[in-house]
Amino acid sequence: VLGSAVQSTDTEVLKSIKRSNISSDAYKKIIDFGNSYESNKTYSEVILGLPGDTKEKHFETLRFGVDSNVNKMAMYQAMLLSGTEMASKADRKKFGLITKFRTIPGCIGIYEILGKKHSVAEIEEIIFGSNTLSTDDYLECRVMNLVIETFYNNAMFEEIYPMLRTINVSPMDCLIYIKEHPELYTEKIKEIFASFIAETTEDLFPSWEQANEYVLNEDVINKYIGGELGTNELLFHRVLLFNE
């Protein structure tokens, strides 16, 4: 299991997020070592939107993992935790962080406490852009994440990627080609990508209070509990694409 890939070598960024990089050579050796076992399972996590992140850096990190034969790329959105340096006023200003609040999928319910029923939801603050990552670029990165989640992170296409590497073709180039040529999609697939973008931007609010008020509305919370709302949009739309 490989740890989170940090897309920056900027010392101020690494200080803020309390992470550091290992060298690309060392990272590649770990991947090769993991893939040498019969289980042949290596795994890497990438966080989108960390301070100093850009569309180019995010794609570069994804490329390194995919083209280095990591079996699964787990892709997450950056979350701000109260009390951390990254969530401080100073860092928010320094990196121009654009944030939104949303309900964490699966972390919602109606509970009986001391004989009374209470609606409870866990709200998180995520980074949706910064002074180096526009919100448009953020969405481009999320679409790329969906392409990788669908066409790379499963055994359905496992014969294709070794073949591409054998003929010196970059698997990541092929995945980028899929993303950048929507004219090749069927109308249904176009609808699925549009739905993914909509769900990535919906249910995001500028404050904790607004997010909490929205989700605790009786009709809304019942939709969350019933699964109509609050799904993991990346995994949900992967399934929709599989069916096409």
Side-chain angles (χ1 to χ4, degrees):
V1 177
L2 305 178
S4 299
V6 180
Q7 300 98 325
S8 179
T9 56
D10 187 310
T11 54
E12 286 299 311
V13 172
L14 297 177
K15 177 176 177 292
S16 174
I17 63 178
K18 306 297 184 185
R19 296 173 183 265
S20 61
N21 285 316
I22 63 173
S23 70
S24 296
D25 288 342
Y27 188 57
K28 183 67 167 62
K29 287 178 181 177
I30 294 172
I31 297 169
D32 291 342
F33 179 79
N35 286 340
S36 67
Y37 282 87
E38 287 185 5
S39 60
N40 191 33
K41 296 297 180 185
T42 48
Y43 169 92
S44 185
E45 296 178 339
V46 179
I47 302 173
L48 170 62
L50 292 172
D53 201 2
T54 66
K55 175 183 173 181
E56 292 73 25
K57 288 178 181 178
H58 187 69
F59 275 48
E60 179 184 342
T61 299
L62 296 174
R63 176 182 293 280
F64 186 79
V66 170
D67 285 352
S68 296
N69 200 20
V70 171
N71 298 132
K72 177 177 173 60
M73 299 291 292
M75 296 153 289
Y76 302 104
Q77 295 155 290
M79 178 181 177
L80 284 180
L81 299 175
S82 298
T84 62
E85 188 169 343
M86 194 167 75
S88 67
K89 290 183 179 179
D91 274 21
R92 289 171 186 264
K93 182 177 180 180
K94 181 194 302 182
F95 299 110
L97 300 184
I98 302 167
T99 69
K100 298 287 185 180
F101 292 82
R102 69 176 183 185
T103 302
I104 300 176
C107 297
I108 187 169
I110 300 174
Y111 302 92
E112 186 170 319
I113 303 172
L114 299 177
K116 294 183 178 180
K117 290 187 177 181
H118 298 268
S119 300
V120 180
E122 187 170 354
I123 308 296
E124 66 178 354
E125 184 179 13
I126 64 168
I127 298 174
F128 196 68
S130 67
N131 54 16
T132 58
L133 181 70
S134 70
T135 54
D136 285 343
D137 281 351
Y138 181 92
L139 291 174
E140 287 286 310
C141 291
R142 287 291 287 164
V143 171
M144 189 71 242
N145 293 165
L146 177 59
V147 170
I148 289 176
E149 181 64 44
T150 303
F151 299 104
Y152 185 79
N153 280 354
N154 59 81
M156 187 178 296
F157 305 102
E158 65 179 348
E159 296 87 358
I160 294 175
Y161 297 108
M163 179 196 71
L164 292 174
R165 294 184 181 100
T166 298
I167 60 176
N168 295 319
V169 173
S170 160
M172 186 62 183
D173 282 346
C174 294
L175 293 166
I176 291 175
Y177 187 91
I178 292 172
K179 174 195 170 292
E180 294 186 347
H181 289 81
E183 70 276 6
L184 302 177
Y185 302 170
T186 65
E187 287 304 314
K188 183 60 177 177
I189 289 177
K190 289 179 182 178
E191 289 175 8
I192 293 171
F193 273 95
S195 170
F196 173 73
I197 293 172
E199 290 197 17
T200 298
T201 55
E202 289 175 355
D203 299 342
L204 296 179
F205 298 87
S207 71
W208 182 93
E209 290 78 12
Q210 287 173 288
N212 196 56
E213 181 181 0
Y214 164 77
V215 76
L216 295 187
N217 174 282
E218 184 177 353
D219 290 338
V220 174
I221 195 171
N222 286 331
K223 288 180 179 179
Y224 270 85
I225 294 171
E228 186 178 343
L229 294 176
T231 59
N232 182 309
E233 65 266 13
L234 196 63
L235 302 183
F236 177 71
H237 287 84
R238 178 191 68 177
V239 172
L240 294 180
L241 287 169
F242 277 171
N243 291 333
E244 292 302 311

